[in-house]
Amino acid sequence: MTALTPELLARIRSRAAGYDRDNTFFAEDLDELRAAGYLAPRSLLETARDQRLLAAHAPATALGINMHLVWVGVARVLHERGDASLDWVLRDAEAGELFAFGNSEPGNDLVLWDSLTTVDTVDGGYAFTGTKIFTSLAPAWTRLGVFGKQLDGPDGPRLVHGFLTRDDAGVTTLDDWDTLGMRATQSRTTKLDGAVVPQERISRFLPVGPNADPFVFAIFANFLLLIGSVYAGIADRALELGVEAVRRRTSVKTGQTYDRDPDFRWRLAEAALALDALAPDLDTLAADVDNLVDHGALWFRKLTGAKHRATETARVVVDHAMRSAGGGGYRSSSELARLQRDVLAGIYHPSDTESVHATVASHLLGPLP
């Protein structure tokens, strides 16, 4: 049973506009979600459905919480496949720790396949030095997943993945989050200056370049499907607002409300048709992950494609809703205007449109030399 009661969702929605207007972190939402047990491990299908519902009420809150839920989901996927290396993440999450992502780097379009952050061996662990961007939950995380490149690994350069804690030396969070949308996530820049991850919190050593290690699969599966679910939730709410708008607006020419106008009826039907395709796509893939279905090499095509379809469809649906709402939707204080700004963030999350098409083309035609 979901922790998202109607009463909790109503309170979360009531705060969303204020967080956005003031460019502040969703602290009250986080407190309530933690108290309700929302941060605890559960199946990917349950989590995806919950995130879609939460995003329909407060997109930035859902997107920020996503990063914690992804790490918890990664640990769960590994555990279900016989890998206990991140079971401590599940225990920490149950105990109330908050996990965040410190993977994205400015200018690194290779994402997980290489890193601009350097890693050096030190007594008892590994020291990370570099800049991480889009660190959602910046004011509140207690565990930060990071990775970097060790040039002098035992067999040559390798990627090192591990987790820092809030109290570790060498970690600085900048107060630099001032964006068009998704403002409440407070996804600030994180500076690492010799921040040491002890050996026991190292999660993986991986080769530079693409690979299908279960750890990488788990990140892709959880990140892409939960991101897609957040943007599907934005589209759900936008369609609701579009329907409300045409029922409320009256044409001076005809004297009828716009829900009687064939053009607006077609527009909202077009939005609904596009949106209806997302639930079977996202739910089926999430259930396949939960049920250990083996899609082999097709997995990355399916996962990146699902995220792409969800974020692009959400943009189309919000656009139809904006056109249906008329000039009132263009006011900066309107919920639709906020959704329009929030939905644009979808184009920046990995995997971006270019990467998705490259992945699918490689599966169909083979990789380029």
Side-chain angles (χ1 to χ4, degrees):
M1 181 181 295
T2 180
L4 298 174
T5 64
E7 295 77 16
L8 174 57
L9 288 169
R11 291 193 297 273
I12 287 174
R13 176 173 284 165
S14 73
R15 292 188 285 255
Y19 291 142
D20 177 75
R21 181 189 63 246
D22 300 334
N23 191 29
T24 52
F25 183 60
F26 58 91
E28 297 93 340
D29 290 357
L30 177 59
D31 288 344
E32 287 210 63
L33 289 167
R34 178 183 273 124
Y38 193 75
L39 305 187
R42 55 196 180 279
S43 74
L44 182 54
L45 179 58
E46 290 175 290
T47 307
R49 288 175 171 172
D50 283 347
Q51 282 294 90
R52 182 166 180 169
L53 180 59
L54 180 59
H57 291 78
T61 293
L63 184 61
I65 289 289
N66 228 36
M67 305 311 159
H68 168 86
L69 295 175
V70 169
W71 275 130
V72 174
V74 168
R76 192 173 189 276
V77 164
L78 291 176
H79 177 85
E80 290 172 341
R81 286 157 178 77
D83 182 342
S85 62
L86 289 186
D87 279 6
W88 68 269
V89 170
L90 299 175
R91 293 191 295 271
D92 273 14
E94 289 279 12
E97 303 293 350
L98 188 67
F99 286 80
F101 260 85
N103 284 354
S104 296
E105 299 166 333
N108 181 9
D109 58 354
L110 290 171
V111 194
L112 285 179
W113 306 146
D114 203 348
S115 179
L116 302 175
T117 297
T118 61
V119 178
D120 296 304
T121 304
V122 296
D123 288 344
Y126 298 85
F128 289 70
T129 299
T131 299
K132 302 295 185 177
I133 56 174
F134 301 138
T135 312
S136 299
L137 304 171
W141 63 261
T142 62
R143 303 286 186 266
L144 182 66
V146 296
F147 88 121
K149 182 161 64 177
Q150 182 185 18
L151 294 176
D152 58 349
D155 299 309
R158 63 179 180 175
L159 300 175
V160 185
H161 294 259
F163 289 84
L164 293 161
T165 73
R166 192 87 192 182
D167 298 328
D168 289 331
V171 181
T172 302
T173 298
L174 305 184
D175 187 4
D176 62 347
W177 189 246
D178 186 14
T179 51
L180 182 66
M182 291 297 188
R183 289 160 66 82
T185 65
Q186 289 301 302
S187 304
R188 303 171 186 176
T189 299
T190 304
K191 296 281 191 177
L192 305 178
D193 185 11
V196 176
V197 176
Q199 182 67 51
E200 62 269 20
R201 291 206 305 267
I202 294 295
S203 50
R204 273 303 190 276
F205 297 104
L206 295 174
V208 175
N211 70 85
D213 185 273
F215 176 76
V216 173
F217 165 76
I219 292 176
F220 268 78
N222 283 272
F223 186 86
L224 294 171
L225 294 180
L226 293 182
I227 285 288
S229 298
V230 166
Y231 286 87
I234 294 175
D236 290 337
R237 179 57 175 165
L239 184 58
E240 287 180 1
L241 293 173
V243 169
E244 290 176 7
V246 297
R247 286 176 171 167
R248 182 178 62 249
R249 298 175 63 208
T250 301
S251 168
V252 173
K253 181 172 65 175
T254 67
Q256 293 183 313
T257 52
Y258 279 110
D259 60 337
R260 303 294 93 193
D261 184 295
D263 292 332
F264 284 104
R265 293 173 68 87
W266 178 92
R267 183 177 294 286
L268 291 174
E270 183 75 1
L273 286 169
L275 184 55
D276 285 347
L278 295 186
D281 191 14
L282 295 167
D283 286 3
T284 298
L285 287 174
D288 284 354
V289 174
D290 289 334
N291 295 324
L292 279 64
V293 174
D294 183 10
H295 288 297
L298 260 176
W299 260 123
F300 290 100
R301 170 178 165 182
K302 287 178 176 288
L303 293 169
T304 58
K307 180 268 178 183
H308 170 77
R309 287 186 290 274
T311 53
E312 293 300 313
T313 297
R315 291 178 64 204
V316 169
V317 172
V318 174
D319 184 70
H320 279 306
M322 287 288 288
R323 292 172 185 268
S324 298
Y330 195 59
R331 297 182 65 85
S332 63
S333 59
S334 82
E335 185 177 358
L336 261 179
R338 174 162 48 84
L339 296 185
Q340 179 73 285
R341 291 185 288 105
D342 284 348
V343 80
L344 292 177
I347 67 177
Y348 299 107
H349 302 297
S351 297
D352 63 25
T353 299
E354 294 77 16
S355 175
V356 172
H357 283 79
T359 296
V360 176
S362 292
H363 182 262
L364 292 173
L365 306 170
L368 292 170

